[in-house]
Amino acid sequence: MKAVIMAGGQGTRLRPLTSDQPKPMIPIANVPCMEHIVNLLKSHGINDVIVTLQFMPEEIRDYFGNGSDRGMNISYSVEDVPAGTAGSVKLAEEHLAGERALVISGDALTDCDLTRVLDFHGQKKAEATMVLKSVENPLDFGIVITEEDGRISRFLEKPAWGQVFSDTVNTGIYVLEPSVLGEIPAEGEYDFSKELFPKLLEAGRPLYGFVTEDYWEDIGTLEQYMSAQRDVLDGKMSTARPPGTRLRENVYVGRRAQVDDEELEGPVVIGENVRVDEGASISPYCVIADNVVVGAGASVERSVIAEGTYVGEGAELIDTLVGRHSYIQERARILERSALGDDVIIGEGATIAPDVKIFPHKTVESGANVTQSLIYETMGLRTVFKGGVVSGKFNVDLTPEFTIRLASSFGTELDPGSIVTLGRDSSRSAQVAKRAMTSALLGTGVNVRDLRAAHAGVVRHDVLAGKSVAGAHIRAGEDPDDLEVLFFSSGATPMSEAGQRAIEKVFVREEYRRAHGADIGDLIYPGRAVEQYVERLERATDREKTSGATLVVDFSGGVAGLVASGVFSRLGVNAVVMEGFTNANVAGGGRLSDPGQHFTQALDRVGRIVPTVGASFGAVVGPTGEDVQFVDDEGEFVPPDLMLACFLSRMRPRKAVLPINLSHRYGQLVEDAGGTLEGSRTGLNNVAIKAAEMRADIAGLADGRYVFPSFLPAPDCFMTLAIALELFREEPLSRVRDRLGEDFGNVRRRQLDCPWAAKGRVMRGLAEKFGGDPDAILTDGVKLNVDNGWVLMLPDPDNPLFYVYAEQESDNPAENGSTSSEDLVSEYARVVENLINGE
């Protein structure tokens, strides 16, 4: 006795789930549909199986193999051209060797008692037996009517309601004698229901129907697919047990799953390596496949999520299907009966309306409201770089494969034999990504100086010292699941936009340079990179002013803390270094449920200790080793915008560079001290590059990141701390801040949603409206000087957003004719909103 599993169907009505996989491989309760059928055959002692294939045959062949690991013998018959249901079995006839055959679909779900069917077939001495099932809606099936002894007297394929004379339908399960296969022509399409069985019936051959009471569900539509999932969870199919440990009735959890199982209410299936963060909700009738992450605050109701998908914080999924390796970003909403294919990205805050289908490899922009299915269209193209940095979720956006492509593109843009410096923080994700980058760069013929675990400043210094022509630093983001890759040019400045576009061009075209033999790059492990960084830092600072000073600092568990003792020792600083909070930058560190809360606690701890030890000030350094937040000598937190003013006031720079969206009061500070202020495009990379070009004394963004180009053309915590010690030992920081006041500037900001398609129209409209103003600045958005103030209208380069900044010199109505900064930003926000709306 042998079985033939028909597994050649494409499942067009199940798209987008079947766009990139054959229908028999779609999972039911985390098990491929066909695997349920294979298990059913084995349970009835049928171990010799022939599988007929057509669409994506390797997917099935690779999964099941020859069946030896299951104690079965599985062979395959592949249709080169469509042969029909009966024709496909005819092609497999050579494997049957003249034996009776049980034919069953690989894309329907059943626990039919096959032993009883075979006994019935033998008792009736039938040539062909069809397994029948009573269904509520028979319109999509072949209807069959039988006599009292089970002999088939009539059937009709997919009738109209007026032709429905029975509710028993053809399940596609047949028992066939070898003589029946002889009636099927060897070539051309030939179907069981349309051609073979009518021929047998007309000839009076013994054709019987066996009516089963067991479970059977044809998975032909997305609705039937979801129904089958629920049926398995409810235990209606006796032979289907979801994988994983059964914790209690209808609650199954896979190995290494990170989930509060006490909060799970069945029926529910959680796959292996799933992570459900605190505050996320998984409702009954959910099936979560392996390697899925559900972020904090996300809600998943009655939904099926396929392998490798990432659901962002606060996202909402209701009665929906999500394909493999998709990325549902923060606060996105996917509503009832929607279906996403594989590798779909749903942007932050986007909404997918009910009954919408998103086909594979599509990107839905942030904030979009999708009300129609996306089949051929792509909502938006993502660039590789955002804000000059390549960032995303590790193993979701930044997979090892992606990182290899990125590094191959980077290496291709460099001359063969060039040297690149690589460094990373202590997170495991960065370690994986750097190894991938290293191998890819070597493969393009580029040599790599591997600094291993080192903060970004050490990598930048290695490039600036002429050890390499470029560099990259890989680190975890603010969210431990995030990963960032920073690229540095030959001067250790952030990579220019032209350089970024060049890498993206190679990335998209996949036109990588390949090195062979002796041209493959060398891997170098330099011995004194950190020491050389510290030596340069010592030369760039005034040791007489820092020696003997005391400060309190918390490095937030970041990798910069690894070199802190060496730095402070060389500068003669008495540093009280506190143990930072556990962060992804610490090897083996845990997740932070609320990084902001930990940061506030660190500031409080530092602030309490500063007056006790008589420190000049205290600081909390961010995990990246770039941003520094200060508390003064009295232990009070100094907001970063005010701290920038304190630096400018005490430093009295000859030349400073600040982005054009900051308060005009910074310029007054610089000019009152006899210096000049250069305005820069917004964004850290733009500020740092211009500061290096202008040889500025200081640059910053009023967010805790300060650039001192005389040392490095980028923020570095140790240089920031050293300069602060030089400035605030003579005049305490508390006194400087008191002189400047608690609030610095009156800048107000308004954020507006702006679809990608509207951005060009808005910018054109602003240029037409204000371009004639001789004082208008059009280098980054549109900046206008108005009475006693200014306005900046600026598109976000990486998101479908538009910003409006405005500031009056004073918010005193008596001085501004009753116009405040808030009034000003509201006035021009309406201008931008009208352009967004096409008015």
Side-chain angles (χ1 to χ4, degrees):
M1 180 70 204
K2 293 185 178 180
V4 177
I5 299 178
M6 294 186 292
Q10 294 188 25
T12 54
R13 291 182 298 164
L14 279 170
R15 291 178 181 169
L17 296 185
T18 53
S19 297
D20 286 346
Q21 63 181 331
K23 183 180 175 185
M25 293 301 293
I26 59 172
I28 305 292
N30 285 349
V31 175
C33 182
M34 182 174 149
E35 187 165 0
H36 289 292
I37 300 302
V38 170
N39 292 339
L40 175 67
L41 292 172
K42 182 174 177 59
S43 69
H44 287 277
I46 304 173
N47 296 318
D48 285 332
V49 177
I50 303 98
V51 183
T52 65
L53 305 173
Q54 182 186 5
F55 179 66
M56 301 183 72
E58 294 306 317
E59 289 273 333
I60 296 174
R61 196 197 303 265
D62 291 346
Y63 185 88
F64 290 97
N66 62 11
S68 58
D69 58 338
R70 304 168 187 270
M72 303 178 72
N73 177 32
I74 300 178
S75 55
Y76 301 90
S77 173
V78 180
E79 301 174 42
D80 295 326
V81 294
T85 56
S88 66
V89 176
K90 180 70 172 181
L91 291 175
E93 188 175 17
E94 60 179 301
H95 297 282
L96 296 174
E99 294 186 42
R100 176 184 293 170
L102 172 74
V103 178
I104 190 168
S105 296
D107 52 20
L109 198 63
T110 183
D111 62 359
C112 178
D113 190 336
L114 300 179
T115 300
R116 288 189 59 199
V117 175
L118 293 170
D119 289 344
F120 175 87
H121 178 84
Q123 291 170 5
K124 298 298 181 180
K125 295 183 173 53
E127 278 192 279
T129 296
M130 304 172 63
V131 176
L132 311 177
K133 174 72 176 178
S134 295
V135 298
E136 292 181 359
N137 185 354
L139 293 184
D140 291 332
F141 306 96
I143 291 176
V144 181
I145 191 167
T146 61
E147 299 175 359
E148 290 186 6
D149 63 352
R151 193 176 184 109
I152 294 174
S153 59
R154 186 181 177 196
F155 57 85
L156 185 65
E157 183 71 9
K158 297 185 179 180
W161 273 116
Q163 299 172 303
V164 172
F165 49 81
S166 171
D167 65 351
T168 54
V169 302
N170 178 9
T171 66
I173 302 173
Y174 314 125
V175 182
L176 305 176
E177 295 297 324
S179 59
V180 172
L181 296 181
E183 301 292 336
I184 303 172
E187 296 181 356
E189 286 194 53
Y190 204 73
D191 190 82
F192 281 119
S193 298
K194 295 177 182 179
E195 293 157 303
L196 178 62
F197 293 148
K199 179 180 178 181
L200 296 177
L201 186 64
E202 184 178 355
R205 306 275 281 271
L207 180 61
Y208 283 81
F210 175 88
V211 181
T212 181
E213 299 297 326
D214 299 321
Y215 180 83
W216 176 82
E217 178 69 73
D218 176 58
I219 306 173
T221 66
L222 294 173
E223 291 77 12
Q224 290 170 336
Y225 176 71
M226 289 295 279
S227 176
Q229 299 275 5
R230 290 190 290 268
D231 288 345
V232 171
L233 293 181
D234 281 335
K236 293 182 179 179
M237 183 173 156
S238 61
T239 60
R241 182 196 182 280
T245 300
R246 184 175 183 176
L247 301 182
R248 52 189 177 275
E249 186 175 1
N250 292 338
V251 175
Y252 298 86
V253 177
R255 294 178 299 174
R256 298 180 297 278
Q258 301 175 48
V259 59
D260 185 356
D261 53 73
E262 296 299 325
E263 294 294 325
L264 294 177
E265 180 183 350
V268 65
V269 179
I270 305 293
E272 295 184 0
N273 301 313
V274 168
R275 196 186 82 210
V276 179
D277 289 345
E278 183 178 353
S281 171
I282 307 294
S283 77
Y285 292 102
C286 283
V287 178
I288 312 295
D290 298 347
N291 305 308
V292 168
V293 175
V294 180
S299 173
V300 183
E301 301 179 21
R302 304 186 310 277
S303 296
V304 178
I305 303 178
E307 180 180 5
T309 286
Y310 191 103
V311 179
E313 295 182 1
E316 183 180 8
L317 281 66
I318 302 175
D319 194 20
T320 191
L321 300 168
V322 180
R324 299 171 294 184
H325 307 293
S326 291
Y327 182 14
I328 315 302
Q329 295 184 0
E330 291 78 2
R331 298 181 301 284
R333 302 177 69 229
I334 307 177
L335 303 181
E336 294 88 344
R337 301 174 303 281
S338 295
L340 276 57
D342 297 343
D343 298 307
V344 168
I345 298 173
I346 305 298
E348 181 177 340
T351 298
I352 308 300
D355 299 302
V356 166
K357 298 178 180 62
I358 309 292
F359 274 56
H361 317 298
K362 300 292 183 289
T363 297
V364 174
E365 66 183 30
S366 298
N369 184 14
V370 181
T371 58
Q372 295 182 338
S373 294
L374 296 179
I375 300 175
Y376 301 109
E377 305 88 346
T378 297
M379 288 295 291
L381 296 176
R382 296 189 308 158
T383 56
V384 176
F385 288 84
K386 288 190 175 183
V389 176
V390 180
S391 62
K393 300 291 182 187
F394 176 67
N395 265 340
V396 178
D397 296 306
L398 266 64
T399 61
E401 301 93 321
F402 176 94
T403 309
I404 287 172
R405 288 184 59 197
L406 176 67
S408 296
S409 305
F410 180 34
T412 299
E413 283 300 299
L414 301 172
D415 292 334
S418 298
I419 301 176
V420 168
T421 300
L422 293 185
R424 60 169 174 83
D425 68 15
S426 297
S427 64
R428 292 183 178 180
S429 57
Q431 192 173 21
V432 171
K434 186 175 71 62
R435 287 173 176 170
M437 289 192 71
T438 299
S439 63
L441 286 168
L442 297 176
T444 63
V446 169
N447 305 308
V448 174
R449 283 173 61 87
D450 187 349
L451 303 191
R452 302 181 185 179
H455 82 285
V458 176
V459 180
R460 288 190 178 100
H461 172 264
D462 200 67
V463 177
L464 189 62
K467 307 294 185 180
S468 59
V469 300
H473 186 259
I474 305 97
R475 66 193 187 194
E478 182 177 342
D479 183 329
D481 284 332
D482 289 345
L483 198 65
E484 299 177 345
V485 184
L486 286 69
F487 289 90
F488 315 129
S489 64
S490 57
T493 56
M495 180 170 290
S496 68
E497 291 177 347
Q500 295 170 27
R501 287 194 293 270
I503 291 177
E504 288 176 341
K505 183 177 179 181
V506 177
F507 185 92
V508 171
R509 296 182 177 180
E510 299 188 46
E511 297 175 345
Y512 313 126
R513 182 179 66 236
R514 306 295 189 188
H516 303 279
D519 294 332
I520 296 173
D522 291 328
L523 183 57
I524 306 162
Y525 292 102
R528 297 188 66 253
V530 174
E531 289 82 354
Q532 291 168 351
Y533 161 84
V534 176
E535 290 168 2
R536 180 179 178 83
L537 178 66
E538 185 180 16
R539 293 194 300 270
T541 57
D542 188 339
R543 196 177 191 281
E544 291 185 2
K545 293 183 178 180
T546 61
S547 182
T550 300
L551 63 81
V552 180
V553 61
D554 185 328
F555 285 97
S556 305
V559 72
L562 299 178
V563 300
S565 60
V567 171
F568 294 138
S569 175
R570 293 291 286 269
L571 298 181
V573 174
N574 301 315
V576 179
V577 179
M578 303 183 65
E579 182 178 352
F581 58 79
T582 302
N583 183 268
N585 288 328
V586 180
R591 283 182 52 79
L592 285 177
S593 58
D594 185 356
Q597 180 181 358
H598 287 265
F599 174 72
T600 302
Q601 292 171 353
L603 281 174
D604 290 341
R605 288 197 303 270
V606 170
R608 288 195 300 270
I609 295 174
V610 166
T612 303
V613 301
S616 297
F617 55 80
V620 175
V621 177
T624 63
E626 293 185 341
D627 61 300
V628 184
Q629 304 297 329
F630 287 86
V631 297
D632 64 22
D633 49 293
E634 296 178 354
E636 295 295 323
F637 172 60
V638 185
D641 58 340
L642 180 57
M643 191 65 208
L644 175 60
C646 292
F647 268 107
L648 295 174
S649 175
R650 286 289 296 128
M651 192 174 185
R652 302 175 69 85
R654 295 175 298 99
K655 189 176 295 181
V657 172
L658 299 177
I660 61 175
N661 61 338
L662 295 189
S663 172
H664 74 286
R665 289 188 60 192
Y666 294 112
Q668 291 177 348
L669 278 178
V670 175
E671 292 164 5
D672 289 348
T676 59
L677 175 68
E678 295 287 342
S680 162
R681 294 173 58 196
T682 57
L684 176 62
N685 282 10
N686 294 322
V687 172
I689 290 172
K690 185 159 188 175
E693 293 173 349
M694 304 298 297
R695 298 182 181 274
D697 299 304
I698 184 174
L701 274 73
D703 64 354
R705 291 179 290 180
Y706 308 89
V707 180
F708 301 98
S710 62
F711 176 60
L712 282 177
D716 182 84
C717 64
F718 292 112
M719 187 63 179
T720 298
L721 293 172
I723 295 294
L725 285 172
E726 293 179 10
L727 296 176
F728 302 114
R729 287 189 73 187
E730 294 181 6
E731 184 177 11
L733 180 54
S734 60
R735 189 182 304 167
V736 177
R737 69 175 297 178
D738 289 342
R739 189 173 68 245
L740 293 171
E742 286 301 314
D743 296 322
F744 199 84
N746 302 309
V747 177
R748 299 292 183 268
R749 191 189 82 162
R750 192 68 53 81
Q751 175 180 301
L752 305 172
D753 292 330
C754 178
W756 289 105
K759 278 189 178 180
R761 182 177 70 244
V762 174
M763 288 299 294
R764 183 178 67 250
L766 292 175
E768 292 173 352
K769 189 175 184 67
F770 302 111
D773 185 342
D775 295 327
I777 302 173
L778 304 180
T779 55
D780 197 19
V782 177
K783 187 172 185 179
L784 307 173
N785 291 315
V786 297
D787 291 340
N788 299 318
W790 58 269
V791 175
L792 172 64
M793 293 160 283
L794 180 69
D796 188 303
D798 303 314
N799 298 289
L801 300 171
F802 224 96
Y803 299 109
V804 180
Y805 300 85
E807 182 186 35
Q808 288 283 14
E809 291 185 7
S810 171
D811 270 357
N812 186 339
E815 299 178 24
N816 295 314
S818 300
T819 301
S820 65
S821 298
E822 191 63 39
D823 295 331
L824 196 59
V825 77
S826 296
E827 176 186 348
Y828 282 87
R830 285 193 293 271
V831 172
V832 175
E833 284 178 332
N834 290 338
L835 291 171
I836 292 173
N837 297 327
E839 299 175 7

